[in-house]
Amino acid sequence: MNNESLGTPQTLWSLLKKYDRIEIPIIQRDYAQGRKTAKAVRDGILNHILEAIPDKRNEELDFIYGIERTYGRGEDEKVAFVPIDGQQRLTTLWLIHWYLAKNAGLLDDKNGETVRLLRKFTYETRPSSKRFLECLCTEPVAAGENLRDSIINDAPWFDEAWKLDPSIMGAITVLESIAAHNALKDRNPKEMLANLTGNNCVTFYFLPLEKFGLGEEIYTRMNARGKVLTDFEKVKSRLFKIINDSPQKKIVADKIEYSWVENLWSFRPKNSYLTDIPFIKWLGYITQILYVIEKGKPKGEIDYISDKILSEIYSSEENLRFLIHSLDTIPKLVDAPVDFSMEWNENIGLTEPVRWILTQFSFSENENNTDVMKQLGVMAALIFLDQQDATDGIGDFLRVVRNLIRNTADKSIREWPTLIQSIRKLVSPDVYSVLRNPELSLKGFRSEQRDIEVFKAKIIEVHPDAYGLICKMDDNPALRGRLGNIIIECQETAPTDRFNLSLNSIDPKDVDIQRLNKLFEAYENMRTYASCDDFNGIWGDLLNTRLYKFNEYVCWCDDEYDNYSNYEIHPVLLRLAREIADNSGDVELTLEIREKKFIKKMLSEYNGLLTSVNSPKRQLYLLYIMTVRFMDMTWQDFFVRNRFNFGWINAENGYSTPFSSPLVVDGETLTGTRNIIYQTYWERYVVRNGIVWYRTPRVFLANQPKRRNIFAKLTEWAES
């Protein structure tokens, strides 16, 4: 072949005999001569070819450019011709050959020479077109004038999805035109095919570009008729080149056109009939994780769908297998029996995390690529389904993994290899039995949360009927799997702001499940009290607790006080929940008891003069009680704009305070603070701004009729 004279006239039949395969590459545009808008072009080339055949007249179709590509190895090495320019003409010629061979009865012998040669022509990287051409050669079809109906409507092998493939529909249109052409009427198809294949009726000059030291990369410069490649086509082309010698290539080629399209269909962009974007995002997501597992945290920005990275990752047969598995598994992920939210929101199951990856995932470290829960959660599910034949136990497995990921502070990308290795250790239809193994090591995850998951597993072992409660508590949006402190509070002998016990000091057998359930119910009632969420309705009753600190400038909520992470599991909050549980779960009754008790204490300490209360926390609590009990207002009128920290400033016109004493901080009286107004703030309080009306609780508005004799009303109410 390489010694062939430059420019030797060739026919399609001679190329089919010469090469093991003629494959149309992905860089070519769709088969355009079959478009409805291309009738003039189609009629012109068909007239040019078909009218030459009966008279054995030679017609030239100009140059066909291409490259030669080897595939296979050793004794199985073969050579394919890849047309870079001329795909449209070659496809039309092939369809004419097929039509004549079909009507001549030469395709009846599926092992015959004609079928063998025609099957060498393929759209190798477009499995739908490839499969269609194969079916034409090997499956039954009537090739008469009603050819369109006999293929689309009558052929059992025709796939409805092929109607979306412009190359297939274009080929059918051209076949219709061939069948109706006057040049073939009343002609013997066998003689016509013999003229076409044996008399050089239609020839072209064939130029392998290797002779010029050129290759496929010049296509975009030499063929202005070619379409601009989409990102998907570029990525697909790269991937096929990388896995060209892989035994899994055919699997990928088939699935990328059929089953994966179906798997990704519901995630395509609105008003789009392509799954290109979801495929690229999923490929980038899987590639990124496989890259990090093998190589650790990348140095600098990485393009995970570049030739270099795809080649590094998918030259590994195991990585390619996992990619195939991941795309195959998308429907299983969506339908997995996961009856809880991976992110403690309203989205139950894995659909939304999968959707996020397929629609929003970014390959750039500087873009929206930071949702670790979604990325590692979906990867955990993929690992589970890769190691297990069924979905049995996947819900419990993912619940544990979710809890561990959420409550581990350092889950940066550099930690992913360690975290994923630990996730693999948990894969089992019974994750709780794995957790009870004393030899289990879950490196990377926060040790406190590991201990909690192990303790829960032990509770389920000794109290099987507690399983439902444990799951319900795990799924609570405030607890988020952090059940250690609520279990400790349950086992404390009395309500306390400071734990005397630790989780390690409790025997799972001794946990009072009934009391734990009542405590949790009280906790949830407290969280949602007054039609609120996140404890907003009861927050004012925590102002005079250890949750708040103050100095000479501000009074703020310190939700990590004493190293407790976040207020939701702070002993102060859990103590209130326990008080509510002791009052049959009645939040309103418990708050009223607590508030009256506080007022009585202030009356005792300040000789019956509430105006003399001089601690910021105590003043704020009294002001809050005034607001919600006697001024027809709610917590929102006090914690203005949902801000729960306070600073203070001297009163201005229109504002006043009911307190007469200056503030005392750490035993020292703060001069100039006798008439102060509290202002809410979020992160930083700026004194120089003066009173800001929209950050001032309404209780400070001067001359309010409902504030008259307010301390007398509080005293009377507390003593009632």
Side-chain angles (χ1 to χ4, degrees):
M1 287 181 288
N2 291 329
N3 294 324
E4 180 181 344
S5 299
L6 180 63
T8 300
Q10 297 287 326
T11 66
L12 174 62
W13 210 244
S14 67
L15 288 184
L16 289 171
K17 289 182 176 180
K18 185 170 306 224
Y19 289 101
D20 296 294
R21 195 157 66 194
I22 298 177
E23 57 184 48
I24 305 302
I26 194 171
I27 63 171
Q28 293 284 5
R29 58 182 176 163
D30 298 318
Y31 181 47
Q33 290 179 4
R35 295 174 184 167
K36 292 181 179 179
T37 56
K39 186 176 186 305
V41 175
R42 179 168 62 251
D43 289 348
I45 192 169
L46 288 179
N47 290 339
H48 192 58
I49 296 173
L50 296 178
E51 290 175 2
I53 298 174
D55 300 330
K56 304 180 184 179
R57 186 178 72 248
N58 178 256
E59 291 291 347
E60 291 184 356
L61 297 181
D62 206 356
F63 289 89
I64 299 291
Y65 300 90
I67 60 172
E68 295 175 352
R69 184 179 69 80
T70 60
Y71 62 99
R73 295 178 179 177
E75 296 180 356
D76 295 327
E77 184 175 278
K78 297 180 180 179
V79 181
F81 171 64
V82 182
I84 300 302
D85 183 61
Q87 170 251 1
Q88 303 286 322
R89 286 167 286 161
L90 288 175
T91 301
T92 299
L93 272 173
W94 187 91
L95 292 171
I96 292 171
H97 282 72
W98 175 86
Y99 179 81
L100 294 174
K102 182 67 181 177
N103 282 282
L106 297 176
L107 302 185
D108 296 340
D109 181 2
K110 305 308 177 188
N111 298 316
E113 179 72 0
T114 303
V115 171
R116 186 183 69 82
L117 290 175
L118 287 176
R119 289 187 67 181
K120 288 184 176 184
F121 186 86
T122 180
Y123 279 65
E124 181 61 21
T125 57
R126 295 180 183 177
S128 59
S129 301
K130 174 183 178 180
R131 179 62 181 154
F132 174 72
L133 296 184
E134 286 180 347
C135 287
L136 286 180
C137 294
T138 60
E139 301 293 338
V141 60
E145 291 188 2
N146 296 322
L147 191 142
R148 176 178 289 269
D149 283 341
S150 65
I151 292 178
I152 296 178
N153 298 325
D154 300 336
W157 49 265
F158 187 83
D159 191 328
E160 283 292 309
W162 291 351
K163 292 179 180 179
L164 300 176
D165 188 319
S167 291
I168 291 177
M169 299 310 291
I172 292 173
T173 298
V174 170
L175 285 173
E176 272 190 308
S177 298
I178 294 170
H181 203 281
N182 287 330
L184 300 183
K185 286 188 177 180
D186 302 324
R187 298 283 185 177
N188 184 310
K190 194 169 186 178
E191 291 180 3
M192 294 284 281
L193 182 62
N195 289 348
L196 184 60
T197 60
N199 292 288
N200 292 343
C201 287
V202 180
T203 60
F204 45 80
Y205 287 100
F206 162 62
L207 297 177
L209 293 174
E210 288 88 346
K211 291 183 177 292
F212 300 98
L214 300 173
E216 187 175 338
E217 67 275 3
I218 71 164
Y219 171 73
T220 55
R221 299 201 299 271
M222 66 176 288
N223 186 5
R225 294 169 297 168
K227 67 178 180 180
V228 176
L229 298 180
T230 66
D231 289 341
F232 171 72
E233 289 168 328
K234 293 175 184 176
V235 170
K236 191 166 105 172
S237 180
R238 293 174 196 159
L239 186 60
F240 275 113
K241 288 178 183 176
I242 292 165
I243 67 173
N244 185 62
D245 294 330
S246 169
Q248 300 181 91
K249 178 186 177 181
K250 187 178 186 305
I251 296 173
V252 174
D254 289 339
K255 289 177 180 290
I256 203 170
E257 195 74 17
Y258 297 105
S259 61
W260 292 347
V261 171
E262 184 177 348
N263 293 351
L264 298 170
W265 187 253
S266 61
F267 302 99
R268 70 193 188 282
K270 187 177 180 181
N271 299 322
S272 172
Y273 295 95
L274 298 173
T275 56
D276 298 7
I277 292 176
F279 178 84
I280 290 176
K281 288 188 176 293
W282 188 266
L283 176 64
Y285 159 69
I286 296 296
T287 306
Q288 179 199 50
I289 291 187
L290 293 177
Y291 179 94
V292 172
I293 290 173
E294 289 189 2
K295 303 177 184 297
K297 180 182 178 180
K299 296 179 180 179
E301 195 77 8
I302 294 287
D303 179 1
Y304 289 104
I305 55 173
S306 66
D307 286 348
K308 180 178 183 295
I309 300 301
L310 290 178
S311 180
E312 287 181 13
I313 298 304
Y314 298 112
S315 294
S316 161
E317 289 293 326
E318 174 57 24
N319 286 344
L320 181 58
R321 184 202 65 78
F322 189 83
L323 174 66
I324 295 170
H325 156 74
S326 74
L327 284 156
D328 286 345
T329 306
I330 289 174
K332 285 187 179 180
L333 294 177
V334 173
D335 296 334
V338 177
D339 59 355
F340 56 88
S341 168
M342 291 294 292
E343 300 174 279
W344 290 277
N345 53 30
E346 69 278 5
N347 299 316
I348 303 301
L350 290 170
T351 302
E352 286 309 309
V354 170
R355 183 182 302 280
W356 181 87
I357 292 169
L358 291 168
T359 60
Q360 298 182 48
F361 176 81
S362 167
F363 313 123
S364 172
E365 294 293 327
N366 298 321
E367 296 182 27
N368 183 23
N369 195 27
T370 58
D371 202 319
V372 176
M373 177 60 74
K374 291 184 175 73
Q375 294 184 68
L376 290 184
V378 171
M379 177 54 64
L382 287 171
I383 290 170
F384 183 96
L385 294 171
D386 190 36
Q387 295 182 209
Q388 298 290 309
D389 294 332
T391 58
D392 297 346
I394 192 173
D396 289 338
F397 165 79
L398 286 178
R399 183 179 279 110
V400 170
V401 169
R402 173 199 63 176
N403 297 344
L404 288 167
I405 295 172
R406 170 59 179 78
N407 297 302
T408 294
D410 188 1
K411 40 186 175 276
S412 60
I413 197 168
R414 71 171 179 270
E415 294 296 320
W416 287 13
T418 303
L419 296 179
I420 290 173
Q421 184 179 18
S422 292
I423 287 171
R424 291 185 185 278
K425 295 179 181 179
L426 289 170
V427 174
S428 169
D430 184 1
V431 68
Y432 296 115
S433 66
V434 175
L435 286 166
R436 289 191 289 266
N437 181 354
E439 302 299 321
L440 177 67
S441 171
L442 296 175
K443 293 182 180 178
F445 290 117
R446 186 168 178 256
S447 59
E448 290 84 352
Q449 191 61 38
R450 295 201 307 264
D451 292 344
I452 290 172
E453 296 305 318
V454 170
F455 195 87
K456 285 184 285 189
K458 292 178 179 179
I459 287 181
I460 291 171
E461 181 181 31
V462 296
H463 300 288
D465 56 343
Y467 169 77
L469 174 61
I470 295 296
C471 291
K472 187 162 58 172
M473 293 169 69
D474 269 345
D475 298 341
N476 183 270
L479 291 173
R480 296 191 297 276
R482 301 168 298 172
L483 308 191
N485 283 6
I486 195 170
I487 293 171
I488 293 171
E489 179 65 51
C490 174
Q491 297 305 111
E492 289 281 357
T493 56
T496 175
D497 282 354
R498 299 178 185 272
F499 290 144
N500 297 305
L501 300 175
S502 66
L503 201 62
N504 292 333
S505 67
I506 299 172
D507 189 331
K509 295 178 183 178
D510 297 334
V511 175
D512 188 329
I513 302 303
Q514 185 176 4
R515 186 164 62 181
L516 181 62
N517 185 50
K518 289 182 179 179
L519 179 59
F520 172 66
E521 288 178 353
Y523 181 89
E524 184 61 4
N525 290 344
M526 180 176 67
R527 182 180 73 87
T528 58
Y529 173 70
S531 301
C532 298
D533 205 352
D534 295 332
F535 310 97
N536 289 340
I538 58 92
W539 197 259
D541 289 274
L542 302 175
L543 284 164
N544 192 44
T545 67
R546 289 173 49 244
L547 264 175
Y548 271 86
K549 288 182 178 180
F550 65 92
N551 58 30
E552 65 269 31
Y553 302 109
V554 292
C555 184
W556 74 98
C557 175
D558 184 2
D559 62 4
E560 294 189 3
Y561 188 56
D562 284 350
N563 295 319
Y564 293 105
S565 70
N566 307 116
Y567 66 86
E568 297 98 337
I569 56 172
H570 197 284
V572 164
L573 199 65
L574 294 173
R575 172 178 178 167
L576 179 54
R578 180 163 178 164
E579 291 176 11
I580 294 170
D582 290 342
N583 286 312
S584 302
D586 191 328
V587 180
E588 177 64 22
L589 174 63
T590 304
L591 297 180
E592 184 175 322
I593 292 172
R594 179 177 269 223
E595 290 164 7
K596 288 182 176 181
K597 183 178 180 180
F598 171 72
I599 294 171
K600 290 178 180 179
K601 182 179 181 181
M602 294 301 99
L603 288 168
S604 174
E605 290 189 17
Y606 291 93
N607 299 318
L609 297 175
L610 295 180
T611 57
S612 298
V613 174
N614 54 18
S615 159
K617 290 166 60 171
R618 291 175 168 184
Q619 284 189 359
L620 283 167
Y621 192 20
L622 283 171
L623 289 167
Y624 174 78
I625 296 171
M626 292 180 198
T627 299
V628 298
R629 296 295 180 186
F630 295 99
M631 301 184 71
D632 297 330
M633 297 181 190
T634 69
W635 66 271
Q636 291 169 308
D637 297 299
F638 189 78
F639 297 106
V640 185
R641 297 198 171 190
N642 286 18
R643 293 172 175 175
F644 296 89
N645 297 330
F646 294 89
W648 47 81
I649 197 166
N650 290 328
E652 298 176 6
N653 290 335
Y655 299 91
S656 67
T657 178
F659 298 104
S660 59
S661 299
L663 294 180
V664 176
V665 175
D666 293 332
E668 294 186 11
T669 300
L670 301 182
T671 59
T673 62
R674 186 178 299 278
N675 190 24
I676 61 122
I677 305 298
Y678 289 100
Q679 305 265 271
T680 62
Y681 73 96
W682 184 244
E683 291 182 350
R684 191 167 69 93
Y685 182 63
V686 182
V687 176
R688 64 175 178 270
N689 288 343
I691 289 181
V692 181
W693 68 268
Y694 57 80
R695 292 199 285 110
T696 306
R698 289 172 59 189
V699 68
F700 290 108
L701 292 176
N703 301 318
Q704 289 190 70
K706 291 183 179 180
R707 217 182 74 179
R708 294 172 185 169
N709 302 317
I710 191 69
F711 285 135
K713 294 177 183 178
L714 282 176
T715 300
E716 181 181 355
W717 176 71
E719 294 179 345
S720 63

